[in-house]
Amino acid sequence: MTSFGCCAPLREARAILADAFFRRFPCLSSHDTRCSIYLKLVVVVLHISLVGTVFLFDTNLVQQTKEHPWYTVLYVSVFLAALFQYLFICCSSPGYVVDAMREVNKMYYTSADSSTLDFVPITEDSNSSSTQSISSWQKVVTGLYPPGSASRNWTCDHCKIIRPPRAKHCNDCDKCVLQFDHHCAWLGTCIGKGNHCQFWWYILFETVLCVWTMALYLSYTRSKASKEWWQYIIIIVLFVILSIALIFFSALLIFHTYLILTNQTTFEFTRRRRIFYFRGVPSKVHPFSRGMCKNIFTSCCSREDVLKLEAMPSIEELEARARPYTCVDIVSCRCC
């Protein structure tokens, strides 16, 4: 009883300090937010540890840096690029349906205030301006789907808003994402139309960094420099971690390169049979593909608006894409 009585003031003091801290930093009051910040810190520390160990142990690399600084500068540049891309994607927006709906409403109501641009469910108490803004959004979305599509499939069961093609509700973010690819727990955000290209560059930099760091580890173990037994253990553990990371990032890089070349998403690739507007489309036809060259340009080089919506191609166009290739098609680079 005495021990519990002694701990009571400590618990009260801790609660008071925690309450004062969260009042000063309200963004950290959420448990999910704190976990997300802790994960980012772990990733940053892991990157620094994997790279810093090489320079800490390998004296030959330090000497080589003095003689050929460009080598180390290039390596550190790849390291910083991977770390910057990670932090950039964590803070990026994948593009949300609500934002696209507001942009469409602004085109129809340039003089409307911000309250009329928010989504309001259609009810008996809805005012005329809200109902009209929703109908304008519905008109835009209706033109994106194939004729005859059932409108009940367009409405999100969670957000109660009308979704354009390729959009999906993310249960983790609790929002409908444009061109939804997947929710990445490692990054703490969704991958969608707004950050898919940045995600590809991130996994490319991480793959190069893993290969380069593993090569430096191997070079250190084969060098004639004196090494302690505990240094061998640390190098082996870090090398195993890098090997696992390399397998993971290489598989992601190959898969997402294929997705960009064919203008697909992970959700469309894995759940193609469950998407209602893909029914009747031949399995080898990618409806939203514009050709490999245009897909790469649109994904990586184009400054196309993130909130720009894509329409489902007509049946005639899909049937034309499904026809077998001829010699003329090969010469004319039909696939591009």
Side-chain angles (χ1 to χ4, degrees), residues 184-197:
C184 184
W186 184 257
L187 296 168
T189 186
C190 277
I191 304 301
K193 187 174 183 179
N195 55 8
H196 194 189
C197 179

Side-chain angles (χ1 to χ4, degrees), residues 1-44:
M1 296 295 292
T2 306
S3 61
F4 284 107
C6 295
C7 292
L10 295 176
R11 288 197 299 267
E12 293 178 0
R14 179 184 177 186
I16 293 173
L17 291 175
D19 185 61
F21 178 80
F22 291 138
R23 280 201 306 267
R24 190 174 183 85
F25 302 99
C27 59
L28 299 177
S29 59
S30 172
H31 178 266
D32 295 337
T33 303
R34 292 198 300 272
C35 291
S36 177
I37 293 175
Y38 295 154
L39 177 61
K40 292 178 179 61
L41 289 176
V42 169
V43 172
V44 172

Side-chain angles (χ1 to χ4, degrees), residues 120-128 131:
V120 180
I122 300 177
T123 62
E124 294 180 357
D125 299 331
S126 299
N127 54 38
S128 59
T131 305

